[in-house]
Amino acid sequence: MWKSLLIALALWVPPVAWAGGLSPAALDVATVEVLPGPEASAELFRRPPLRNLDEVLDSGYLNVGLYEGFPPYAYRDEAGEARGIDAELGRLIAEGLGLEFRPFWITPASSLGRDLGNAVSRGHYLRPTQVADVMLRVPYDRNFSYMRDSTGEYINKSVVMFGPYQREQWDLAFDAARLGDTATLGSFRDHPVGAEYQTLPATYLTATLGGQLRDNVRHYRNTEEALAAMARGEITGVMAIRGELEHYLARYPEHDFRLADAVFPGISRHQWDIGMAIRHNHRQLGHAVEALVDGAVRDGSLGEIFAAHELHYHMPDFYAEVLGAQ
């Protein structure tokens, strides 16, 4: 019985094939012309284009992922042009490849993993066919790169994080006119301190030292507003990323604002290296980009970009170990 059923299924011909061919409707679907190229495939299947190195070079441009509204690293000026350290690094990379630099603006999501997915590997649901060829300002952390989920699968298997180019750290800016020549976390038991809300500093300051600073913590929309509040005398210190603090402190030369270079007990990593990310199957593009960034670190070009923005350049630990430099 079951053998007869298998034979019948094998000999069964779909109705659209009767009368010697496909039905008109089926024929219309079958003869749809698909234009060549990754962009056409992306639009057809609603997925990001798979732009390898050759396709990027043929296109004449490079999409560089930059975090939007994040001075001094990446932001738009009044004319809408991309400015900041990462924007200049993106231009350096694109120029080195003989390509046009195109900023791919990234709005931070709830986690780095989501940012990598939205900007590099799969595309955001609002722009599913658009991704960056390379994304800048990605923490270069081996443990995060090879993190596994509960089933043993790599969480970030769709992306490759590579090419460290800067060391970043948390720091405190303080008003020396009110606190003296030095400041520590303990200085804010009796003085108000600010931080950008929904960030690690905002959470940390309310919990550190057994909550002794909690009542003195003030939250602001961003680091720029926190420094402006310190200039108005509303707070005496601000905790944030060191690069941001240096950038905004330069606006207040009339004040005796300083960096504390503080120690933050309870934070597992006070300093970390910043690198880049690409799709896991575009390693050839990654090698080309990494070679250009490596040259900029070694010959001092990247340090000059930082100096032009009035920031101190801190070489990544990776290079400090290899080159014996700090």
Side-chain angles (χ1 to χ4, degrees):
M1 180 66 182
W2 62 271
K3 290 183 179 180
S4 301
L5 180 60
L6 290 177
I7 293 173
L9 289 173
L11 296 176
W12 180 75
V13 179
V16 295
W18 294 351
L22 295 173
S23 67
L27 186 60
D28 288 342
V29 174
T31 56
V32 171
E33 181 179 2
V34 178
L35 297 176
E39 286 79 6
S41 298
E43 290 296 338
L44 179 63
F45 297 108
R46 303 298 292 168
R47 68 186 183 194
L50 304 177
R51 283 163 50 91
N52 58 32
L53 177 60
D54 290 336
E55 289 164 335
V56 168
L57 295 176
D58 289 342
S59 73
Y61 65 90
L62 181 71
N63 289 322
V64 180
L66 305 172
Y67 279 109
E68 188 167 15
F70 189 28
Y73 299 115
Y75 59 96
R76 303 176 198 248
D77 63 14
E78 295 179 354
E81 292 293 321
R83 300 298 179 196
I85 290 168
D86 288 343
E88 294 304 318
L89 179 58
R91 289 188 176 92
L92 184 150
I93 294 170
E95 181 180 344
L97 294 174
L99 301 173
E100 174 194 350
F101 163 71
R102 291 188 182 180
F104 183 92
W105 294 109
I106 302 168
T107 300
S110 58
S111 67
L112 174 60
R114 288 184 179 275
D115 291 345
L116 291 169
N118 293 339
V120 179
S121 63
R122 64 175 180 270
H124 193 277
Y125 69 91
L126 293 177
R127 51 179 186 184
T129 64
Q130 301 176 38
V131 291
D133 297 312
V134 58
M135 176 178 169
L136 303 188
R137 199 141 297 275
V138 177
Y140 181 77
D141 184 275
R142 186 174 182 84
N143 291 331
F144 180 78
S145 298
Y146 294 99
M147 188 181 298
R148 298 173 183 262
D149 61 19
S150 59
T151 67
E153 290 289 325
Y154 289 113
I155 295 176
N156 299 302
K157 63 182 178 181
S158 297
V159 298
V160 175
M161 285 163 270
F162 69 104
Y165 60 88
Q166 180 202 354
R167 189 176 77 241
E168 190 57 276
Q169 69 180 70
W170 298 114
D171 209 342
L172 272 171
F174 68 99
D175 187 348
R178 301 172 65 183
L179 295 181
D181 292 338
T182 60
T184 66
L185 286 173
S187 302
F188 302 102
R189 290 189 179 97
D190 303 312
H191 296 275
V193 60
E196 180 179 345
Y197 71 88
Q198 294 184 343
T199 61
L200 184 146
T203 302
Y204 176 77
L205 290 172
T206 58
T208 191
L209 302 181
Q212 296 179 49
L213 314 183
R214 180 180 55 200
D215 294 338
N216 288 329
V217 178
R218 308 288 184 266
H219 295 163
Y220 297 89
R221 186 175 63 175
N222 50 47
T223 303
E224 179 180 13
E225 289 191 0
L227 265 295
M230 190 163 75
R232 295 191 299 268
E234 298 173 8
I235 55 179
T236 56
V238 177
M239 180 179 174
I241 292 173
R242 184 171 189 140
E244 284 188 291
L245 294 174
E246 288 185 346
H247 174 71
Y248 291 116
L249 287 179
R251 296 184 178 182
Y252 304 103
E254 71 278 11
H255 292 274
D256 191 6
F257 292 164
R258 306 180 189 181
L259 290 174
D261 199 13
V263 176
F264 300 101
I267 294 182
S268 59
R269 180 161 295 182
H270 176 205
Q271 300 178 340
W272 62 97
D273 284 351
I274 296 294
M276 301 172 284
I278 56 167
R279 289 176 64 95
H280 71 97
N281 53 347
H282 292 164
R283 291 176 185 269
Q284 190 177 14
L285 173 62
H287 294 327
V289 170
E290 187 172 30
L292 292 167
V293 175
D294 177 80
V297 173
R298 292 174 185 269
D299 68 14
S301 300
L302 190 54
E304 293 174 0
I305 292 176
F306 275 77
H309 288 80
E310 298 183 334
L311 265 67
H312 293 92
Y313 174 60
H314 299 276
M315 187 175 288
D317 288 343
F318 173 83
Y319 283 96
E321 293 174 4
V322 172
L323 302 179
Q326 297 296 327

